[in-house]
Amino acid sequence: MGRKFFGTDGIRGLANQFPMTADVAMNLGRALVAHFPKRGSTFRALIGKDTRRSGYMFESALAAGINAMNGDWVDTSD
């Protein structure tokens, strides 16, 4: 069995220190598209973030992973 990163409050840690890195966020985006069944023709995710600077890094990396797997995402700040 692999390592467990999700707790009751999601993935926790300090920004730019494992597991809170852009690489982990991008791989998470890829895994979401691969794991969850598609409803219709395209996987869609809603990405929310708080106001810390690291939120923009994680949002971009997560979106990049979703895009890499031909998924679609919506930014909550729009």
Side-chain angles (χ1 to χ4, degrees), residues 21-67:
T21 63
D23 188 48
V24 170
M26 185 166 37
N27 287 331
L28 177 61
R30 291 175 148 158
L32 287 169
V33 178
H35 179 74
F36 288 104
K38 296 171 183 65
R39 295 178 187 237
S41 60
T42 304
F43 172 89
R44 296 195 74 191
L46 178 67
I47 300 176
K49 66 179 179 296
D50 62 24
T51 58
R52 290 175 282 186
R53 287 187 207 168
S54 59
Y56 296 95
M57 175 186 72
F58 294 126
E59 175 189 36
S60 296
L62 186 61
I66 291 169
N67 288 341

